[in-house]
Amino acid sequence: MRKAFSMLTAIFIIVLMATVAAFIMNLSGKMVKGTTAQFQHEQSVLLAKSYTEYAIMAATANEHNSSNCLNNISGGYGDIGGGDYLYNIDVNISYIGDTNLHANCKTLSNSVVTEESPLNIIVDVFVKYKDLDHPAGANAPATTYHRRSLQKI
């Protein structure tokens, strides 16, 4: 009788420990997934800020009255091979003001009150990325982070 009680106690403790171990593994997996998602979002925010600054610098260096008006900048970050990137960045630049802009420039408004009115740009940055932990893998739906800035140039 005594040997059977010890055997039942040992089996109960092993089942209890296995259940606790499975719970801990499940919890740590969720924590890793949450950390990865937070990292990807923060990386997209930083890329959007960087590409905003880059677009402002490129727009100020570009000649707006010529035929090569800067309207779009595309890029990628985190090369995974085959021309694919973890983060795909698309920057759209729209101009407000200055009636002397070339026809190729994407203008939202060109009603300038005075000749001294500055040229403004609206910079829209779209950063698209896929969840690295998604079960669909490469077919996972893309998440888009958008940042809009208004800048005098």
Side-chain angles (χ1 to χ4, degrees):
M1 184 79 173
R2 189 110 170 120
K3 290 182 182 180
F5 180 74
S6 298
M7 177 72 102
L8 288 175
T9 305
I11 291 172
F12 176 74
I13 290 176
I14 288 173
V15 169
L16 182 66
M17 289 176 56
T19 305
V20 169
F23 176 72
I24 290 172
M25 292 296 284
N26 185 19
L27 187 63
S28 69
K30 288 181 181 178
M31 289 174 59
V32 167
K33 185 173 173 75
T35 303
T36 303
Q38 182 181 4
F39 170 78
Q40 284 187 292
H41 177 74
E42 291 297 323
Q43 186 72 30
S44 67
V45 169
L46 292 173
L47 284 168
K49 286 181 182 180
S50 296
Y51 269 84
T52 299
E53 295 297 323
Y54 176 67
I56 292 168
M57 287 188 333
T60 57
N62 194 34
E63 182 62 42
H64 309 295
N65 298 333
S66 67
S67 63
N68 60 350
C69 194
L70 185 62
N71 291 322
N72 193 329
I73 300 172
S74 296
Y77 178 76
D79 190 7
I80 56 176
D84 292 332
Y85 296 97
L86 288 175
Y87 300 91
N88 293 308
I89 301 104
D90 187 35
V91 181
N92 297 320
I93 302 171
S94 302
Y95 297 88
I96 299 175
D98 196 359
T99 58
N100 294 328
L101 289 173
H102 192 272
N104 290 340
C105 291
K106 187 182 352 173
T107 58
L108 295 178
S109 172
N110 60 1
S111 57
V112 178
V113 177
T114 64
E115 291 295 324
E116 292 82 26
S117 294
L119 178 63
N120 296 304
I121 59 171
I122 293 180
V123 180
D124 285 314
V125 181
F126 299 93
V127 180
K128 293 182 182 177
Y129 61 94
K130 293 187 178 184
D131 184 7
L132 296 175
D133 293 331
H134 197 277
N139 297 327
T143 304
T144 303
Y145 176 79
H146 175 244
R147 176 187 167 111
R148 174 173 277 183
S149 301
L150 173 66
Q151 180 70 36
K152 290 182 182 180
I153 58 171

